[in-house]
Amino acid sequence: YLPVEFHEHCEPQAQRVDVALVIDASTTMRDDRTTAGRTKLAAAIEAATTFVGTLALPLDQAAVITFNSDAQLLQGLSGKRADIEQALGQIPRLVRQQTRIDRGIEEAHRELVGRRHKAANRRVMVVLTDGLANPEPASTAVRRAQEAKNSQITIFTIGLGKDSELNVTELRQMATTPAHFYHAPDGEDLLDIYRAIAVEIPCPAHGFWGRR
């Protein structure tokens, strides 16, 4: 047997990213509470804001997209922290019924391949939802996610709530791999999940022996 020495090492500061934060703004996000007594949307905004704090702005960029009966680009890809956080703060005023996950993914895909994307940056999408896709079936969102993945976009999905309230199978299919899907039983779990994704983006576990 010959000895083998591995020198694989991930340097997060060398991995630049453009991230689209896609956040469910349906009525259940506003009306349902976490175990701490706050809205699920408040917990999601805090977690997303913390995530933005991990980015190396302005080299990294982030965009903010919400979805309910349709999708809305609140902030295009930007390296300005104040603009990104201001967009996150607008979400509670935009709550509507329905859960068009497909439209959120479609809007994020459009932004990540658009003129604001930095060619050297890795494209990433983080999609958070707390409910079943409606009125469009989840299969449509799976197709939209595949189109995005065909554009070399890495997709993380987060399902917030009970399995019975989520399209768990389809959320796994939307994600780049099943391991890119995260389940948050409670809104208070979101902070740790977004932190985990922040680590996973520049240093994917499958790409470095030290993370296996």
Side-chain angles (χ1 to χ4, degrees):
Y1 298 93
L2 295 175
V4 178
E5 184 177 0
F6 294 100
H7 294 282
E8 291 182 288
H9 175 66
C10 176
E11 297 181 4
Q13 66 273 16
Q15 313 294 312
R16 300 278 63 87
V17 296
D18 280 354
V19 184
L21 298 169
V22 186
I23 299 175
D24 190 334
S26 60
T27 51
T28 52
M29 288 289 288
R30 177 195 63 197
D31 298 341
D32 293 352
R33 301 283 165 169
T34 72
T35 52
R38 58 179 173 162
T39 67
K40 291 192 288 189
L41 191 53
I45 292 170
E46 180 198 35
T49 301
T50 298
F51 174 89
V52 171
T54 70
L55 299 176
L57 305 176
L59 298 176
D60 293 336
Q61 298 188 113
V64 179
I65 295 99
T66 60
F67 64 91
N68 34 59
S69 59
D70 202 349
Q72 187 171 351
L73 177 67
L74 301 185
Q75 174 61 56
L77 286 168
S78 172
K80 295 181 179 179
R81 189 179 311 279
D83 291 348
I84 300 165
E85 292 181 352
Q86 182 182 39
L88 289 168
Q90 294 175 16
I91 298 176
R93 298 194 297 272
L94 302 172
V95 170
R96 301 287 186 276
Q97 292 183 337
Q98 300 184 340
T99 307
R100 290 293 302 271
I101 305 172
D102 62 303
R103 290 291 293 119
I105 292 173
E106 185 179 22
E107 190 66 36
H109 181 186
R110 184 180 298 112
E111 180 61 19
L112 286 169
V113 299
R115 61 182 176 81
R116 283 181 284 263
H117 167 63
K118 292 183 179 180
N121 287 18
R122 180 184 177 193
R123 298 182 176 103
V124 178
M125 190 186 304
V126 182
V127 182
L128 166 67
T129 185
D130 80 327
L132 299 167
N134 74 91
E136 193 71 18
S139 58
T140 302
V142 173
R143 290 198 298 272
R144 295 292 173 264
Q146 186 57 56
E147 291 166 2
K149 288 183 279 189
N150 291 344
S151 297
Q152 286 71 57
I153 296 172
T154 300
I155 302 180
F156 294 86
T157 56
I158 305 170
L160 172 57
K162 299 177 182 177
D163 283 357
S164 60
E165 300 169 338
L166 300 165
N167 300 112
V168 173
T169 298
E170 289 83 356
L171 286 169
R172 286 198 178 98
Q173 294 171 348
M174 292 174 214
T176 294
T177 72
H180 286 69
F181 164 70
Y182 290 81
H183 180 219
D186 181 75
E188 300 304 324
D189 300 320
L190 291 174
L191 192 58
D192 285 342
I193 288 174
Y194 274 86
R195 284 172 173 160
I197 292 173
V199 173
E200 175 74 7
I201 287 174
C203 298
H206 64 275
F208 298 92
W209 283 86
R211 298 278 316 284
R212 294 180 181 176

